[in-house]
Amino acid sequence: MIIAQITDLHVVAKGRLFHPMISTNTQLVDTVTHINSLDPRPDVVIVSGDLTEHGLTEEYDFLREILKDLIPPVFLIPGNHDRREALMTAFAGEGYMPQPDAPFVNYAIERFPLRLVGLDTTVLGHDYGLMCEQRLRWLDDTLSARRDFPTLIFMHHPPFRTGVQWMDASGLYGGRMMEEVVRRHRQVVHVACGHLHRPIHVAWGGTIASVSPSTCHQVALNLTGRGGFEITMEPRAVALHVWDESYGLISHLSYIPAGYEEIPILSTLTSEDRAQLLSQNRRDYQEICQTEYNR
Ligand SMILES: [Fe+2]
Ligand SMILES: [Fe+2]
């Protein structure tokens, strides 16, 4: 069985750009084409949050329109850029999606040789994530219900420290307590995360936890302990988690070829031009968010 994981799509409304230089919508179309063309084709696609940029209804409408071309079945959970109520409303017709009045987008998919558990770590209005008591209890109960069945958990905020300052500053509260829960359930073969827009792997909770690259842009690696978030156009990828009962779970990255759209490379700009462009973009975006949230 092959599980394709994509993450951090940051879809915007039809006709909009995420960034002066990045069309996340076109990049998602490329990603769908890439997954459909893989041989063997994945059995299922999981999407680990930041589905949209602002959590707006029109963004979810366009996300649904793009994802309907995906041949394998797809399962979504929210990230800090999403709004869970808008997500649950837009995908209410999908059997697995909880009702819009549910407290969280938590669910378990039982129809595959590997059990898939989707976890909602979001806190409305904040970039950090949280595994509160209610969510920890849900996870413990859900894992206890099928102790003998190999399970993959997918969630947006990674539950571990990365040692990268900005990443840990917008991390997950309750990660240590979640680690204790997962450690008690030896059937968990992998914890697949998003949020950080970089490939990262760690031994955690008696299993392996990872972060997959984004389908739009990546974030520059910075291990200096200072400095912040910087967008980079390193390769975009789909994680392919291959489950084989005799070997266990093996994770690969399948890089997404660049699409037809021209994406200027940030590294060709001088650092001054780049800083100016990014700060202008940040101001534009703050304005757009403010206007759209106030609508
Ligand atoms: Fe993201
Ligand atoms: Fe995120």
Side-chain angles (χ1 to χ4, degrees):
M1 175 190 182
I2 301 179
I3 300 119
Q5 178 194 2
I6 56 174
T7 195
D8 295 81
L9 322 177
H10 291 275
V11 163
V12 290
K14 204 171 191 167
R16 286 269 181 98
L17 287 178
F18 162 80
H19 186 279
M21 295 181 297
I22 302 176
S23 169
T24 50
N25 296 350
T26 308
Q27 289 172 319
L28 182 58
V29 172
D30 287 346
T31 304
V32 167
T33 306
H34 180 65
I35 293 172
N36 287 343
S37 70
L38 289 172
D39 183 17
R41 188 178 294 138
D43 299 280
V44 60
V45 178
I46 54 175
V47 192
S48 44
D50 281 359
L51 312 168
T52 66
E53 176 61 12
H54 306 104
L56 301 171
T57 301
E58 52 264 54
E59 294 176 335
Y60 290 111
D61 287 345
F62 197 44
L63 172 69
R64 215 179 41 229
E65 198 177 318
I66 299 173
L67 290 181
K68 77 176 183 328
D69 289 334
L70 202 50
I71 297 170
V74 57
F75 298 96
L76 311 170
I77 52 153
N80 52 303
H81 281 260
D82 292 299
R83 288 195 197 176
R84 69 166 71 94
E85 220 183 294
L87 165 65
M88 291 192 281
T89 304
F91 289 85
E94 307 292 327
Y96 73 90
M97 185 61 76
Q99 293 303 306
D101 59 348
F104 306 111
V105 185
N106 288 343
Y107 53 85
I109 305 297
E110 315 280 1
R111 67 168 117 139
F112 300 108
L114 195 64
R115 191 177 190 221
L116 304 174
V117 171
L119 260 188
D120 177 349
T121 54
T122 60
V123 181
L124 188 63
H126 294 281
D127 281 335
Y128 61 80
L130 176 66
M131 279 300 286
C132 57
E133 220 171 279
Q134 198 181 350
R135 285 180 263 204
L136 287 166
R137 204 174 321 113
W138 181 89
L139 178 63
D140 201 15
D141 291 348
T142 303
L143 294 175
S144 298
R146 299 194 76 182
R147 284 186 179 281
D148 296 331
F149 210 91
T151 300
L152 179 146
I153 296 173
F154 61 111
M155 59 199 288
H156 185 63
H157 296 85
F160 52 84
R161 278 181 63 80
T162 64
V164 179
Q165 198 181 40
W166 75 264
M167 292 183 178
D168 294 331
S170 67
L172 180 79
Y173 290 100
R176 279 280 163 86
M177 285 182 284
M178 179 179 168
E179 187 172 13
E180 285 169 30
V181 172
V182 170
R183 201 178 288 282
R184 291 199 294 273
H185 294 280
R186 303 307 302 243
Q187 79 271 28
V188 177
V189 295
H190 199 101
V191 180
C193 312
H195 188 49
L196 302 182
H197 295 233
R198 289 209 63 78
I200 302 172
H201 295 83
V202 64
W204 176 90
T207 185
I208 303 289
S210 68
V211 177
S212 293
S214 159
T215 60
C216 56
H217 69 79
Q218 312 311 322
V219 177
L221 178 60
N222 179 347
L223 296 171
T224 63
R226 49 182 197 278
F229 172 98
E230 191 188 345
I231 288 179
T232 162
M233 297 312 291
E234 287 173 53
R236 306 181 292 124
V238 175
L240 295 178
H241 303 292
V242 183
W243 171 249
D244 180 302
E245 230 168 282
S246 50
Y247 292 101
L249 192 81
I250 304 142
S251 298
H252 303 269
L253 289 181
S254 174
Y255 292 101
I256 304 164
Y260 295 108
E261 186 213 17
E262 262 193 30
I263 303 167
I265 304 299
L266 280 175
S267 60
T268 61
L269 302 175
T270 66
S271 55
E272 230 170 52
D273 286 348
R274 185 161 43 167
Q276 200 186 348
L277 189 62
L278 291 175
S279 83
Q280 178 59 47
N281 181 57
R282 217 164 286 135
R283 281 197 297 276
D284 289 350
Y285 248 101
Q286 275 164 0
E287 234 170 80
I288 291 170
C289 293
Q290 212 50 52
T291 317
E292 297 196 339
Y293 280 134
N294 290 338
R295 270 202 308 196

